[in-house]
Amino acid sequence: MKSFLSVDTATISHKEYDAIVVGSGAAGLFCATKLSSLGLKVCVLTKDAADVGSTKLAQGGIAAALSKEDSPDLHFNDTLKAGAGLVKTKMARILTEEGVKRVIDLIRMGANFETNEKGLLKFTKEAAHSVARIVYYKDKTGEEVERALLDSYRGDIIEFAEVKELIVKNNRCYGVIYEKDGKINAIYAPVTAIATGGAAGIYLKNTNPPTSTGDGIAIALRYGAKLQDLEFVQFHPTAFCDDSECFLISEAVRGEGAIIVDEQGRRFMGDYHHLWELAPRDVVTRAIECQKKICGGNVYLDFRPIEKKGIDIFKRFPTITSKLFEKGLNPKKDLIPITPVAHYYIGGIAVDSFGRSSIEGLFAVGEASCTGVHGANRLASNSLLECLVFGERTAYGMYRDWRYLRQDFSPIGIKLNQKSVLSNNKFSLKEVQEIMWKNVGIVRSAESLTKAIDKLSEIANSNSDWQVRNGAVLGLAITISAMRREESRGGHYRSDFPYEREEFRKHSTFTLSDLERLI
């Protein structure tokens, strides 16, 4: 079931580059910029316009030990605590120690962050951080980061290019096949990086752009790449949702003093964790869901304590407050109804500390990868930092491997035979999203997961659009991984196994062979 296409790559137009980066978010652009500076001819492929993606939507900021009260050791310890026993310590050391330099690099590239009257960086605090260490730009840090990276990148970019297949032979990647304007094209290169973002978009309620549906991860799985920790999905506790959309209300809002109250106006988070609203995200998420059942009705975010501290919420959070005004809500006066939604994908393509996957010549970086740095539950604002730190390291890994992979490299013609399907039915991505939200969401059980496996198997074996089938394939992998982990840890909660179990204090892996019975 490797290919969803039937095409002979020898008969279609193709180009050759030194390196391919699939994705134009922070991870992909930081990696591509570094590769270009090393003298490689680089091509970035992106599913939409270059500035469309999760990076641009990031509100909170970037965690880095840049303040005088902070240190990489302190940041490292906070990362370990948030990760619920599964953080890879080597990766966390790399993240927190190299992160300081990478944020400074970003500033050198022209990114702006908030400063005080003396010109010193301002820092804010988010959940599970012991000190204020997050640099930010208003409430649209990601947009500013994306702007700076696009301004700095000097290589080629092909926009609105949907990467549909890898070109792999004998466990070695030779490039990608993509569709643009209805035409199939191939790009060959000795090294390729997948930086396509996460997979929260395969959940019905999510904060991600429409592009974040896990395609890059699913494609890598179909060609034999090893995946890791697929069961861990981080649900953000504070989003505003109506019939038309869900949008994030950054954790930085709580970091500045906003509180969470129930239908009776009672501040309840102290019943669940001593850090109240700044408890780890998985704790806040489940607390909100539990309180809804206990009290009935909605749960709300109250911005008014921020105003009492003398902070103008309209200046501090212009994007969020203007969005709420569009919905008829005034955060200076109104309680804002909130709900947890799928937000960040912790699992992904298993990589080493230089971004190498289990397929030679294929790398992964950013949310599409799984470095193990987040463990079972990501520490707030470590995601953009991971993009920078491992974006740079992946570029060096690609450069090192390119130097010898190019020696015997040449374009190859490969016949991609479409897998025969068991069903001529056609399904929509929304149907995948509904299955994942209902059965593989915040609270899971063997019963719900079994239902998801049955339904997703049918979709994966159908005649549906390639993106729908990719979503079903990855959804199946997530569901099977969740079924195998018979415990609750971090972003993975099983109602039939509600506690952590020491025998599961280990990373899970997933390969194509794990799907053979179902697809």
Side-chain angles (χ1 to χ4, degrees), residues 203 205 231-238 281-282 285 340-344 377 436-437 440-444 491-492:
Y203 283 84
K205 294 183 180 181
E231 62 271 34
F232 296 112
V233 179
Q234 188 173 70
F235 295 86
H236 198 289
T238 55
R281 286 179 177 175
D282 61 312
T285 292
V341 297
H343 177 58
Y344 185 87
N377 183 41
M436 294 298 292
W437 181 255
V440 201
I442 297 168
V443 178
R444 306 157 176 183
H492 167 72

mmCIF file of all heavy atoms in Angstrom, residues 203 205 231-238 281-282 285 340-344 377 436-437 440-444 491-492:
data_model
loop_
_atom_site.group_PDB
_atom_site.id
_atom_site.type_symbol
_atom_site.label_atom_id
_atom_site.label_comp_id
_atom_site.label_asym_id
_atom_site.label_seq_id
_atom_site.Cartn_x
_atom_site.Cartn_y
_atom_site.Cartn_z
ATOM 1 N N TYR A 203 -8.517 15.912 13.649
ATOM 2 C CA TYR A 203 -9.550 15.954 14.690
ATOM 3 C C TYR A 203 -10.578 17.028 14.336
ATOM 4 O O TYR A 203 -10.233 18.082 13.808
ATOM 5 C CB TYR A 203 -8.937 16.245 16.053
ATOM 6 C CG TYR A 203 -8.241 15.049 16.668
ATOM 7 C CD1 TYR A 203 -6.930 14.740 16.335
ATOM 8 C CD2 TYR A 203 -8.909 14.227 17.573
ATOM 9 C CE1 TYR A 203 -6.292 13.644 16.884
ATOM 10 C CE2 TYR A 203 -8.278 13.129 18.139
ATOM 11 C CZ TYR A 203 -6.974 12.834 17.784
ATOM 12 O OH TYR A 203 -6.347 11.740 18.330
ATOM 13 N N LYS A 205 -12.378 19.130 16.168
ATOM 14 C CA LYS A 205 -12.139 20.412 16.822
ATOM 15 C C LYS A 205 -10.638 20.573 17.014
ATOM 16 O O LYS A 205 -10.019 19.802 17.748
ATOM 17 C CB LYS A 205 -12.864 20.484 18.169
ATOM 18 C CG LYS A 205 -14.381 20.469 18.054
ATOM 19 C CD LYS A 205 -15.041 20.607 19.414
ATOM 20 C CE LYS A 205 -16.568 20.592 19.302
ATOM 21 N NZ LYS A 205 -17.225 20.748 20.621
ATOM 22 N N GLU A 231 0.515 7.871 19.922
ATOM 23 C CA GLU A 231 -0.686 8.004 20.762
ATOM 24 C C GLU A 231 -0.777 9.338 21.480
ATOM 25 O O GLU A 231 -1.843 9.708 21.994
ATOM 26 C CB GLU A 231 -0.744 6.865 21.793
ATOM 27 C CG GLU A 231 0.392 6.812 22.780
ATOM 28 C CD GLU A 231 1.583 5.983 22.321
ATOM 29 O OE1 GLU A 231 1.865 5.958 21.102
ATOM 30 O OE2 GLU A 231 2.240 5.362 23.174
ATOM 31 N N PHE A 232 0.311 10.098 21.516
ATOM 32 C CA PHE A 232 0.333 11.330 22.298
ATOM 33 C C PHE A 232 -0.074 12.541 21.457
ATOM 34 O O PHE A 232 0.661 12.999 20.589
ATOM 35 C CB PHE A 232 1.720 11.547 22.917
ATOM 36 C CG PHE A 232 2.084 10.479 23.907
ATOM 37 C CD1 PHE A 232 3.096 9.583 23.639
ATOM 38 C CD2 PHE A 232 1.375 10.355 25.101
ATOM 39 C CE1 PHE A 232 3.430 8.585 24.554
ATOM 40 C CE2 PHE A 232 1.688 9.363 26.015
ATOM 41 C CZ PHE A 232 2.711 8.474 25.739
ATOM 42 N N VAL A 233 -1.283 13.015 21.729
ATOM 43 C CA VAL A 233 -1.833 14.205 21.087
ATOM 44 C C VAL A 233 -2.103 15.222 22.192
ATOM 45 O O VAL A 233 -2.742 14.899 23.196
ATOM 46 C CB VAL A 233 -3.144 13.890 20.345
ATOM 47 C CG1 VAL A 233 -3.713 15.141 19.692
ATOM 48 C CG2 VAL A 233 -2.929 12.791 19.312
ATOM 49 N N GLN A 234 -1.604 16.430 22.018
ATOM 50 C CA GLN A 234 -1.838 17.443 23.052
ATOM 51 C C GLN A 234 -3.079 18.260 22.723
ATOM 52 O O GLN A 234 -3.193 18.846 21.647
ATOM 53 C CB GLN A 234 -0.628 18.372 23.179
ATOM 54 C CG GLN A 234 -0.760 19.321 24.377
ATOM 55 C CD GLN A 234 0.495 20.128 24.610
ATOM 56 O OE1 GLN A 234 0.821 21.008 23.837
ATOM 57 N NE2 GLN A 234 1.210 19.812 25.690
ATOM 58 N N PHE A 235 -4.011 18.259 23.675
ATOM 59 C CA PHE A 235 -5.236 19.045 23.552
ATOM 60 C C PHE A 235 -5.052 20.340 24.335
ATOM 61 O O PHE A 235 -4.694 20.309 25.508
ATOM 62 C CB PHE A 235 -6.431 18.249 24.074
ATOM 63 C CG PHE A 235 -6.733 17.027 23.245
ATOM 64 C CD1 PHE A 235 -6.086 15.826 23.493
ATOM 65 C CD2 PHE A 235 -7.640 17.087 22.202
ATOM 66 C CE1 PHE A 235 -6.339 14.703 22.718
ATOM 67 C CE2 PHE A 235 -7.905 15.970 21.420
ATOM 68 C CZ PHE A 235 -7.255 14.776 21.679
ATOM 69 N N HIS A 236 -5.273 21.457 23.652
ATOM 70 C CA HIS A 236 -5.125 22.753 24.316
ATOM 71 C C HIS A 236 -6.407 23.048 25.077
ATOM 72 O O HIS A 236 -7.501 22.938 24.528
ATOM 73 C CB HIS A 236 -4.851 23.847 23.290
ATOM 74 C CG HIS A 236 -4.265 25.082 23.888
ATOM 75 N ND1 HIS A 236 -4.985 25.934 24.690
ATOM 76 C CD2 HIS A 236 -3.013 25.619 23.816
ATOM 77 C CE1 HIS A 236 -4.212 26.938 25.077
ATOM 78 N NE2 HIS A 236 -3.002 26.762 24.563
ATOM 79 N N PRO A 237 -6.291 23.455 26.350
ATOM 80 C CA PRO A 237 -7.507 23.611 27.167
ATOM 81 C C PRO A 237 -8.352 24.832 26.849
ATOM 82 O O PRO A 237 -9.545 24.845 27.159
ATOM 83 C CB PRO A 237 -6.951 23.694 28.599
ATOM 84 C CG PRO A 237 -5.544 24.164 28.440
ATOM 85 C CD PRO A 237 -5.062 23.611 27.140
ATOM 86 N N THR A 238 -7.770 25.860 26.240
ATOM 87 C CA THR A 238 -8.527 27.106 26.085
ATOM 88 C C THR A 238 -8.627 27.520 24.619
ATOM 89 O O THR A 238 -7.738 28.168 24.076
ATOM 90 C CB THR A 238 -7.900 28.245 26.901
ATOM 91 O OG1 THR A 238 -6.517 28.400 26.535
ATOM 92 C CG2 THR A 238 -7.969 27.938 28.395
ATOM 93 N N ARG A 281 -0.785 21.224 30.530
ATOM 94 C CA ARG A 281 -1.954 21.320 29.663
ATOM 95 C C ARG A 281 -2.893 20.115 29.758
ATOM 96 O O ARG A 281 -4.107 20.265 29.696
ATOM 97 C CB ARG A 281 -1.514 21.509 28.206
ATOM 98 C CG ARG A 281 -0.998 22.903 27.930
ATOM 99 C CD ARG A 281 -0.553 23.053 26.494
ATOM 100 N NE ARG A 281 -0.126 24.428 26.248
ATOM 101 C CZ ARG A 281 0.406 24.836 25.111
ATOM 102 N NH1 ARG A 281 0.573 23.978 24.114
ATOM 103 N NH2 ARG A 281 0.766 26.102 24.954
ATOM 104 N N ASP A 282 -2.327 18.921 29.879
ATOM 105 C CA ASP A 282 -3.199 17.745 29.947
ATOM 106 C C ASP A 282 -4.044 17.773 31.211
ATOM 107 O O ASP A 282 -5.206 17.348 31.203
ATOM 108 C CB ASP A 282 -2.371 16.453 29.866
ATOM 109 C CG ASP A 282 -1.382 16.310 31.015
ATOM 110 O OD1 ASP A 282 -0.658 17.282 31.306
ATOM 111 O OD2 ASP A 282 -1.328 15.229 31.621
ATOM 112 N N THR A 285 -6.817 20.452 30.713
ATOM 113 C CA THR A 285 -7.791 19.946 29.743
ATOM 114 C C THR A 285 -8.771 18.993 30.400
ATOM 115 O O THR A 285 -10.002 19.130 30.262
ATOM 116 C CB THR A 285 -7.067 19.245 28.581
ATOM 117 O OG1 THR A 285 -6.347 20.219 27.829
ATOM 118 C CG2 THR A 285 -8.042 18.533 27.671
ATOM 119 N N PRO A 340 -11.587 22.566 25.388
ATOM 120 C CA PRO A 340 -10.349 21.954 24.922
ATOM 121 C C PRO A 340 -10.504 21.447 23.487
ATOM 122 O O PRO A 340 -11.565 20.949 23.093
ATOM 123 C CB PRO A 340 -10.134 20.789 25.891
ATOM 124 C CG PRO A 340 -10.943 21.141 27.098
ATOM 125 C CD PRO A 340 -12.137 21.869 26.560
ATOM 126 N N VAL A 341 -9.438 21.580 22.697
ATOM 127 C CA VAL A 341 -9.423 21.100 21.315
ATOM 128 C C VAL A 341 -8.057 20.510 21.005
ATOM 129 O O VAL A 341 -7.068 20.786 21.688
ATOM 130 C CB VAL A 341 -9.730 22.246 20.319
ATOM 131 C CG1 VAL A 341 -11.128 22.801 20.526
ATOM 132 C CG2 VAL A 341 -8.694 23.366 20.434
ATOM 133 N N ALA A 342 -7.983 19.707 19.941
ATOM 134 C CA ALA A 342 -6.696 19.162 19.501
ATOM 135 C C ALA A 342 -5.807 20.309 19.038
ATOM 136 O O ALA A 342 -6.241 21.187 18.296
ATOM 137 C CB ALA A 342 -6.911 18.153 18.373
ATOM 138 N N HIS A 343 -4.551 20.279 19.474
ATOM 139 C CA HIS A 343 -3.689 21.436 19.228
ATOM 140 C C HIS A 343 -2.321 21.071 18.667
ATOM 141 O O HIS A 343 -1.875 21.653 17.688
ATOM 142 C CB HIS A 343 -3.509 22.200 20.541
ATOM 143 C CG HIS A 343 -2.592 23.380 20.454
ATOM 144 N ND1 HIS A 343 -2.809 24.425 19.588
ATOM 145 C CD2 HIS A 343 -1.447 23.679 21.127
ATOM 146 C CE1 HIS A 343 -1.855 25.334 19.733
ATOM 147 N NE2 HIS A 343 -1.002 24.902 20.646
ATOM 148 N N TYR A 344 -1.637 20.106 19.285
ATOM 149 C CA TYR A 344 -0.251 19.822 18.904
ATOM 150 C C TYR A 344 -0.033 18.318 18.856
ATOM 151 O O TYR A 344 -0.499 17.586 19.743
ATOM 152 C CB TYR A 344 0.714 20.460 19.898
ATOM 153 C CG TYR A 344 2.173 20.312 19.529
ATOM 154 C CD1 TYR A 344 2.786 21.243 18.693
ATOM 155 C CD2 TYR A 344 2.936 19.246 19.989
ATOM 156 C CE1 TYR A 344 4.112 21.112 18.328
ATOM 157 C CE2 TYR A 344 4.262 19.103 19.636
ATOM 158 C CZ TYR A 344 4.855 20.038 18.809
ATOM 159 O OH TYR A 344 6.172 19.904 18.443
ATOM 160 N N ASN A 377 3.955 14.914 27.011
ATOM 161 C CA ASN A 377 3.170 16.142 27.142
ATOM 162 C C ASN A 377 4.105 17.334 26.966
ATOM 163 O O ASN A 377 4.965 17.576 27.801
ATOM 164 C CB ASN A 377 2.494 16.199 28.512
ATOM 165 C CG ASN A 377 1.617 17.411 28.672
ATOM 166 O OD1 ASN A 377 0.905 17.803 27.758
ATOM 167 N ND2 ASN A 377 1.657 18.008 29.845
ATOM 168 N N MET A 436 -12.067 10.480 14.815
ATOM 169 C CA MET A 436 -10.943 10.722 15.717
ATOM 170 C C MET A 436 -11.383 11.502 16.954
ATOM 171 O O MET A 436 -10.973 11.190 18.085
ATOM 172 C CB MET A 436 -9.831 11.472 14.988
ATOM 173 C CG MET A 436 -9.160 10.687 13.874
ATOM 174 S SD MET A 436 -8.340 9.181 14.445
ATOM 175 C CE MET A 436 -6.993 9.856 15.401
ATOM 176 N N TRP A 437 -12.216 12.528 16.769
ATOM 177 C CA TRP A 437 -12.657 13.345 17.896
ATOM 178 C C TRP A 437 -13.515 12.543 18.876
ATOM 179 O O TRP A 437 -13.335 12.637 20.090
ATOM 180 C CB TRP A 437 -13.431 14.564 17.391
ATOM 181 C CG TRP A 437 -13.904 15.459 18.495
ATOM 182 C CD1 TRP A 437 -15.171 15.582 18.979
ATOM 183 C CD2 TRP A 437 -13.096 16.346 19.290
ATOM 184 N NE1 TRP A 437 -15.211 16.485 20.012
ATOM 185 C CE2 TRP A 437 -13.953 16.969 20.217
ATOM 186 C CE3 TRP A 437 -11.738 16.662 19.287
ATOM 187 C CZ2 TRP A 437 -13.480 17.904 21.144
ATOM 188 C CZ3 TRP A 437 -11.280 17.593 20.218
ATOM 189 C CH2 TRP A 437 -12.141 18.199 21.126
ATOM 190 N N VAL A 440 -10.997 8.808 19.634
ATOM 191 C CA VAL A 440 -9.568 8.812 19.947
ATOM 192 C C VAL A 440 -9.188 10.203 20.467
ATOM 193 O O VAL A 440 -8.115 10.718 20.183
ATOM 194 C CB VAL A 440 -8.720 8.454 18.700
ATOM 195 C CG1 VAL A 440 -7.329 7.946 19.126
ATOM 196 C CG2 VAL A 440 -9.391 7.397 17.845
ATOM 197 N N GLY A 441 -10.096 10.800 21.241
ATOM 198 C CA GLY A 441 -9.933 12.171 21.682
ATOM 199 C C GLY A 441 -9.325 12.302 23.064
ATOM 200 O O GLY A 441 -8.391 11.582 23.426
ATOM 201 N N ILE A 442 -9.877 13.204 23.842
ATOM 202 C CA ILE A 442 -9.330 13.526 25.162
ATOM 203 C C ILE A 442 -9.397 12.327 26.095
ATOM 204 O O ILE A 442 -8.457 12.050 26.846
ATOM 205 C CB ILE A 442 -10.087 14.725 25.761
ATOM 206 C CG1 ILE A 442 -9.878 15.967 24.879
ATOM 207 C CG2 ILE A 442 -9.635 14.996 27.193
ATOM 208 C CD1 ILE A 442 -10.798 17.114 25.209
ATOM 209 N N VAL A 443 -10.511 11.589 26.055
ATOM 210 C CA VAL A 443 -10.696 10.379 26.873
ATOM 211 C C VAL A 443 -10.919 9.202 25.936
ATOM 212 O O VAL A 443 -11.790 9.242 25.061
ATOM 213 C CB VAL A 443 -11.895 10.532 27.831
ATOM 214 C CG1 VAL A 443 -12.095 9.248 28.631
ATOM 215 C CG2 VAL A 443 -11.672 11.716 28.771
ATOM 216 N N ARG A 444 -10.127 8.157 26.117
ATOM 217 C CA ARG A 444 -10.173 6.988 25.247
ATOM 218 C C ARG A 444 -10.451 5.730 26.062
ATOM 219 O O ARG A 444 -10.243 5.694 27.269
ATOM 220 C CB ARG A 444 -8.830 6.833 24.517
ATOM 221 C CG ARG A 444 -8.401 8.077 23.758
ATOM 222 C CD ARG A 444 -6.917 8.141 23.521
ATOM 223 N NE ARG A 444 -6.540 9.298 22.712
ATOM 224 C CZ ARG A 444 -5.312 9.558 22.314
ATOM 225 N NH1 ARG A 444 -4.310 8.753 22.669
ATOM 226 N NH2 ARG A 444 -5.062 10.618 21.586
ATOM 227 N N GLY A 491 -0.548 13.344 27.373
ATOM 228 C CA GLY A 491 -1.653 13.610 26.468
ATOM 229 C C GLY A 491 -2.482 12.403 26.106
ATOM 230 O O GLY A 491 -3.443 12.519 25.341
ATOM 231 N N HIS A 492 -2.147 11.232 26.643
ATOM 232 C CA HIS A 492 -2.890 9.999 26.365
ATOM 233 C C HIS A 492 -3.626 9.575 27.633
ATOM 234 O O HIS A 492 -2.998 9.244 28.646
ATOM 235 C CB HIS A 492 -1.907 8.906 25.930
ATOM 236 C CG HIS A 492 -2.488 7.522 25.904
ATOM 237 N ND1 HIS A 492 -3.387 7.109 24.943
ATOM 238 C CD2 HIS A 492 -2.290 6.453 26.718
ATOM 239 C CE1 HIS A 492 -3.715 5.842 25.166
ATOM 240 N NE2 HIS A 492 -3.061 5.422 26.235
#
